[in-house]
Amino acid sequence: MTLLTKKIVPNLECQPERVIQFGEGNFMRAFVDWQLQQMNQQGLFNGSSVVVQPIEQGLKDLLDAQDDLYTVALQGLQNGEVIDSVEIMTSVSRVINPYTQWQAYKELASQDDLEIIVSNTTEAGIAYHKEDSLAAMPPKSFPAKLTVLLHERYKLGKKGFIIIPCELIDRNGDKLKEIVLQYATDWALGHDFVTWLETQNTFCCSLVDRIVPGFPRDTAQDFYDKLGYEDKVLVTAEPFMVWVIEGPQTIMTAFPLQKAGLNVIVTEDMTPYRERKVHLLNGPHTAMSILARLAGLDTVEAVMKDLDFRKYVDGLFTDELIPMIDLPISELVVFAEQVKERFLNPFANHQLSAIALNTVSKFVARLLPVFNQYVDTKNALPKHMTAALAALILSYRGDKIVPQDDENIIATFNKAWEDPETVVVTILGNVDLWGQDLTAISDLVAQVKKDIALLETAGARVLIKKC
Ligand SMILES: NC(=O)C1=CN([C@@H]2O[C@H](COP(=O)(O)OP(=O)(O)OC[C@H]3O[C@@H](n4cnc5c(N)ncnc54)[C@H](O)[C@@H]3O)[C@@H](O)[C@H]2O)C=CC1
Ligand SMILES: O=P(O)(O)OC[C@H]1O[C@](O)(CO)[C@@H](O)[C@@H]1O
């Protein structure tokens, strides 16, 4: 079968390079480059991205063999409709491997059309390596490579960039800027360079949300048969997306994502949006994964299609999560409905066991802040979250399902379960697990004991029906 190349795309228009993108992975290609494509199609941007492969091994060769073309398959539900679409992306101009093309990389500094820098180098990428130097070709870390590029740009007396990292770490833009400034100090790049960095560049924090399963290993041949060509870097993604960017509204002039109708929010403070995502998407994931596994269910979709569990999920959203988040209720209701639709994605096959990895820390980050808020404002226990907490303690006994977590956490639960009479008090009172003494919450110990007893005698389905 023919490989996807320019020959397959007639009248391919080359757009000027306007974006430097660190990271050629699945997420960036189905998120940022897909958005460039949407803007280009509407004649709003007329720009392409030059992609920098951040580590020595990567997809450059595969992409180059396809003239940097690839397909994005969007699969899922949107506004009640099944979306199963494919589109060839023409928004990547070329891929630079700085390990073999260091000079070409540095020359990007001289291109005036380049205005925007984006990145996703995984959670490990925004890191400081003390050994990195200005003379290295290239330095190891992504922030060090970026510092070299910015310094070249400064030396040419040109304007700076809008820099929007997409890594899934809190306050990614601040962290990236902090490390770049650290290199500027380490490498003695001078006060004027630091002033240029501060005044001519806009580092934005951003929060991305789109589930991108990536290359469809099991069904690739079906895709090729349907497409009529082979695409070794085809990427599947859900139709839903949100990009929350913390920065000045003016960035939308250079980067008209919103004008193209994309779900992009530019705000002065992204905290509520981060909370919205963590508590309304990842929170229900965690609560349902704990309880539904005890009832023998295995995927998010199965939970959402089960009438009893669906009621539980709806109640969790409506009674306990939405009222505790500091954003307009109408906005939260819309977001919650979108999340439920995403949970029902028939293409996703999202395993509860995958979500359940490291459940204790996930419970702390995703549910406990809302749990505390509920107790403080309502002076009562949130029943749905309390049931999930009880199920967590029971599952970590290890006889019904095998918990996967840090070995110290597993050991803590094993030890506590040696005495079933005291296990609830021991676990809830363990500040190392929760960051607080949960036995101090009025009635919690008694309720969790009752819930565990019901889980043991009647099962998870009966417990959630009581919520
Ligand atoms: N796939 C998804 O559904 C979503 C993924 N994310 C996040 O995006 C990140 C990337 O995900 P994918 O694109 O799916 O993975 P991927 O494996 O396709 O791409 C990883 C990218 O990160 C780069 N990279 C890896 N380690 C690095 C390091 N130490 N320093 C610099 N660069 C490094 C690689 O060169 C590659 O460009 C992940 O951290 C993930 O948490 C965020 C939202 C959704
Ligand atoms: O299964 P979890 O850990 O709740 O995460 C669900 C998904 O949400 C996302 O944050 C969506 O953007 C992805 O990173 C992740 O795949």
Side-chain angles (χ1 to χ4, degrees):
M1 190 172 269
T2 328
L3 190 65
L4 171 62
T5 58
K6 279 182 184 167
K7 283 187 203 142
I8 288 182
V9 188
N11 309 322
L12 185 67
E13 270 183 56
C14 291
Q15 309 281 6
E17 291 175 338
R18 296 188 60 192
V19 176
I20 303 176
Q21 173 177 313
F22 288 86
E24 83 296 8
N26 291 320
F27 180 77
M28 288 306 262
R29 285 183 292 113
F31 189 77
V32 173
D33 297 315
W34 177 86
Q35 291 182 69
L36 301 185
Q37 182 84 14
Q38 309 312 308
M39 288 193 293
N40 286 341
Q41 269 166 4
Q42 298 176 46
L44 292 169
F45 189 60
N46 306 324
S48 61
S49 65
V50 47
V51 175
V52 178
Q53 182 179 295
I55 51 178
E56 212 161 349
Q57 302 303 323
L59 300 177
K60 177 179 164 56
D61 293 346
L62 285 179
L63 279 159
D64 284 357
Q66 297 189 183
D67 298 326
D68 301 309
L69 301 170
Y70 63 95
T71 315
V72 169
L74 294 186
Q75 298 185 307
L77 297 172
Q78 203 168 38
N79 304 324
E81 251 183 75
V82 175
I83 307 284
D84 190 3
S85 66
V86 288
E87 189 178 2
I88 295 176
M89 297 295 118
T90 59
S91 48
V92 172
S93 61
R94 59 187 163 131
V95 183
I96 293 182
N97 179 352
Y99 290 82
T100 54
Q101 299 171 282
W102 185 233
Q103 198 49 37
Y105 170 73
K106 290 211 295 188
E107 280 167 11
L108 291 175
S110 66
Q111 287 183 222
D112 286 322
D113 283 344
L114 289 169
E115 293 172 275
I116 295 153
I117 295 181
V118 291
S119 68
N120 194 341
T121 56
T122 77
E123 289 84 333
I126 301 189
Y128 171 70
H129 284 274
K130 208 173 178 328
E131 303 72 30
D132 276 332
S133 75
L134 189 61
M137 295 193 296
K140 185 166 182 243
S141 79
F142 152 54
K145 292 185 186 81
L146 177 63
T147 309
V148 173
L149 185 75
L150 293 172
H151 190 240
E152 289 294 313
R153 183 83 159 186
Y154 156 77
K155 285 192 297 182
L156 293 168
K158 294 188 184 290
K159 64 177 183 165
F161 298 96
I162 297 164
I163 302 169
I164 318 176
C166 298
E167 283 81 354
L168 271 189
I169 56 172
D170 196 17
R171 306 219 55 80
N172 45 20
D174 293 348
K175 184 91 185 143
L176 181 60
K177 183 174 178 183
E178 186 187 308
I179 302 176
V180 168
L181 287 169
Q182 182 63 52
Y183 285 122
T185 307
D186 291 0
W187 302 345
L189 299 180
H191 180 260
D192 289 353
F193 172 60
V194 172
T195 307
W196 178 87
L197 263 181
E198 296 275 10
T199 57
Q200 301 288 308
N201 296 274
T202 309
F203 284 82
C204 303
C205 292
S206 95
L207 169 78
V208 295
D209 191 4
R210 168 172 265 183
I211 298 172
V212 180
F215 185 76
R217 274 176 215 297
D218 300 339
T219 52
Q221 193 54 50
D222 298 342
F223 271 103
Y224 298 163
D225 292 342
K226 194 166 85 178
L227 295 167
Y229 57 81
E230 190 182 358
D231 180 348
K232 292 186 176 157
V233 280
L234 187 154
V235 52
T236 59
E238 66 174 341
F240 178 90
M241 61 138 294
V242 181
W243 195 359
V244 182
I245 303 174
E246 191 179 279
Q249 298 293 335
T250 47
I251 58 175
M252 287 296 109
T253 312
F255 209 22
L257 298 157
Q258 292 172 327
K259 216 170 168 186
L262 297 164
N263 194 8
V264 174
I265 297 164
V266 181
T267 173
E268 282 174 7
D269 179 11
M270 64 184 275
T271 316
Y273 295 98
R274 186 175 183 277
E275 288 178 356
R276 182 180 76 168
K277 189 215 164 204
V278 170
H279 300 320
L280 287 190
L281 184 145
N282 304 105
H285 257 172
T286 291
M288 73 165 72
S289 69
I290 304 169
L291 283 154
R293 287 180 87 207
L294 287 176
L297 300 179
D298 59 358
T299 65
V300 175
E301 190 193 1
V303 172
M304 297 301 284
K305 287 191 164 160
D306 180 301
L307 289 184
D308 297 333
F309 272 93
R310 179 60 193 259
K311 269 195 185 152
Y312 171 85
V313 172
D314 287 342
L316 175 67
F317 272 107
T318 314
D319 303 342
E320 299 178 10
L321 302 177
I322 290 176
M324 296 301 131
I325 298 172
D326 187 18
L327 276 173
I329 194 112
S330 54
E331 222 176 277
L332 294 170
V333 169
V334 171
F335 185 81
E337 287 312 309
Q338 287 169 332
V339 166
K340 287 181 203 171
E341 197 167 53
R342 297 168 73 190
F343 286 177
L344 278 161
N345 186 346
F347 302 94
N349 194 25
H350 200 160
Q351 297 293 314
L352 298 175
S353 55
I355 298 171
L357 175 71
N358 301 332
T359 290
V360 170
S361 62
K362 286 183 176 174
F363 193 96
V364 171
R366 300 167 171 199
L367 292 166
L368 202 48
V370 199
F371 190 105
N372 285 325
Q373 175 104 353
Y374 188 99
V375 172
D376 289 347
T377 52
K378 302 238 177 191
N379 209 11
L381 292 175
K383 289 182 188 159
H384 299 75
M385 283 188 271
T386 305
L389 182 58
L392 185 160
I393 296 175
L394 183 63
S395 356
Y396 272 62
R397 193 170 67 189
D399 54 332
K400 296 186 192 296
I401 50 169
V402 181
Q404 280 188 291
D405 213 316
D406 178 89
E407 60 186 38
N408 292 327
I409 290 179
I410 300 283
T412 302
F413 276 88
N414 286 343
K415 183 142 184 33
W417 268 110
E418 282 172 10
D419 186 351
E421 289 301 312
T422 57
V423 63
V424 173
V425 173
T426 310
I427 291 296
L428 293 184
N430 187 323
V431 179
D432 289 341
L433 290 178
W434 314 111
Q436 67 188 92
D437 178 359
L438 290 178
T439 63
I441 296 176
S442 180
D443 296 334
L444 186 61
V445 170
Q447 189 58 49
V448 168
K449 280 185 178 172
K450 269 192 218 155
D451 285 359
I452 290 181
L454 195 60
L455 281 167
E456 292 269 52
T457 53
R461 190 172 289 281
V462 172
L463 174 62
I464 55 140
K465 276 167 116 172
K466 284 189 83 135
C467 291

